Amino acid sequence: RQMKQQLESVRSGFLLLLAAFIWGIAFVAQSVGMDYMGPCTFNAARFFIGGVVLLPVIWTKERMEAKKGAAEASAKKNKSGVLLPGGVCCGIALCAASLLQQFGIRYTSVGKAGFLTTLYIVIVPLLGIFVRRIPGVKVWCSVVVALIGMYLLCISGSVRIGLGDGLVIGCAFVFSIHILVVDHFAEQVDGVKLSCLQFLTSGVICLVLAFLTEHPSWNALFAGIVPVLYAGVLSSGVGYTLQVVGQKKVEPTAASLLLSMESVFSVLAGWVILGQKLSARELLGCALVFTAVICVQLPDKKKTKQVEIA
């Protein structure tokens, strides 16, 4: 049984790393998409596409469960009154965080945005204290190492908090809340359905804001269809679903560390795809973040997932 739990933990960790890889490349798609449309229009399109992509997945999954005789148990699980409010809560948090990030990318560099967004690896354990969750020493040490690594990786020269930086820092805070909200609902409902509902919720909110503050048009949407499709199908539909499914067996702070690998993958993607070379400083940053991610996944000698405050 212990071996099975360890395998499930490793599998979940791999899913979160895969989500981080997809999101790392998505920073480029988000930046390019802003050349064709406003932040609200871009996010509305990507989230609706992400939700629609999951509909056939849900249909196929339900048919497979019906053949296995598991449909009744699954229906009871998702009719407990948790799925809808869970999807709406996750969607609101995701919408707020994504809009802050999208607006922030307008006024700061992609590399700096990647670093500031992954500040959630510090914010998550701090917020966890307020819900009586204190991570162990190993996780805190990994957080420090990862922060140093991401600084070396993404920041060069002096660091000034401008408008874009402030927006992305706000995005990191809201993403931290999103991680904790997902953690709360993921074990109670079907992960794919929860992900689909959060996308549709985010899409509706962003669409209303787009008509109120921007001038969305089909021409602009088709002109930027490539970055929209990547952000919708892969970053939203696949990436956030991997997060929801992966977090079922991974403690929130450890999950945030794994997801923070997106900053590493974004730089590596620029190196491989765009021919941008990595300096010795950036390579050291990659190594430190990777080391932190590996360390946080190593099993503890004592079976203590978290410490409760009495």
Side-chain angles (χ1 to χ4, degrees), residues 54-102:
L54 293 181
L55 292 178
V57 177
I58 294 172
W59 180 77
T60 302
K61 185 178 180 181
E62 288 189 340
R63 289 200 64 180
M64 292 177 63
E65 287 178 343
K67 291 180 180 180
K68 294 179 180 179
E72 185 178 350
S74 177
K76 287 182 179 179
K77 183 180 182 181
N78 292 308
K79 286 182 179 179
S80 59
V82 176
L83 181 60
L84 181 59
V88 171
C89 289
C90 292
I92 293 173
L94 175 62
C95 177
S98 299
L99 284 177
L100 286 169
Q101 184 185 68
Q102 200 67 29

Side-chain angles (χ1 to χ4, degrees), residues 18-262:
L18 183 57
F21 174 77
I22 293 171
W23 290 342
I25 300 177
F27 273 103
V28 177
Q30 288 176 248
S31 181
V32 173
M34 301 281 279
D35 295 336
Y36 304 98
M37 65 199 80
C40 296
T41 303
F42 182 86
N43 275 357
R46 70 181 286 199
F47 286 134
F48 275 125
I49 291 173
V52 170
V53 165
L54 293 181
L55 292 178
V57 177
I58 294 172
W59 180 77
T60 302
K61 185 178 180 181
E62 288 189 340
R63 289 200 64 180
M64 292 177 63
E65 287 178 343
K67 291 180 180 180
K68 294 179 180 179
E72 185 178 350
S74 177
K76 287 182 179 179
K77 183 180 182 181
N78 292 308
K79 286 182 179 179
S80 59
V82 176
L83 181 60
L84 181 59
V88 171
C89 289
C90 292
I92 293 173
L94 175 62
C95 177
S98 299
L99 284 177
L100 286 169
Q101 184 185 68
Q102 200 67 29
F103 275 103
I105 290 176
R106 266 186 168 181
Y107 306 105
T108 190
S109 66
V110 170
K112 187 179 285 189
F115 169 75
L116 293 175
T117 297
T118 48
L119 282 175
Y120 56 67
I121 71 170
V122 176
I123 300 173
V124 166
L126 293 178
L127 292 178
I129 294 174
F130 293 99
V131 293
R132 299 192 173 189
R133 289 184 174 182
I134 298 182
V137 175
K138 179 188 70 176
V139 173
W140 282 108
C141 291
S142 298
V143 167
V144 173
V145 172
L147 272 180
I148 296 172
M150 285 187 295
Y151 179 84
L152 295 174
L153 177 64
C154 301
I155 301 297
S156 60
S158 61
V159 179
R160 295 182 299 173
I161 304 298
L163 174 61
D165 301 335
L167 290 172
V168 180
I169 290 173
C171 149
F173 181 81
V174 182
F175 263 132
S176 302
I177 296 175
H178 179 254
I179 288 174
L180 294 175
V181 173
V182 168
D183 179 68
H184 176 74
F185 289 107
E187 293 186 357
Q188 304 179 55
V189 298
D190 181 86
V192 181
K193 291 182 179 179
L194 179 66
S195 192
C196 182
L197 274 176
Q198 77 166 349
F199 292 146
L200 296 179
T201 300
S202 298
V204 169
I205 297 172
C206 288
L207 185 62
V208 171
L209 292 175
F211 279 108
L212 290 176
T213 62
E214 300 171 359
H215 300 87
S217 68
W218 288 109
N219 290 334
L221 184 62
F222 286 127
I225 194 64
V226 174
V228 167
L229 283 177
Y230 182 90
V233 177
L234 291 176
S235 180
S236 296
V238 177
Y240 283 105
T241 300
L242 289 174
Q243 179 202 0
V244 170
V245 176
Q247 273 194 237
K248 287 188 175 183
K249 301 296 181 180
V250 180
E251 191 266 340
T253 303
S256 68
L257 271 172
L258 291 167
L259 296 175
S260 73
M261 281 290 287
E262 66 181 284

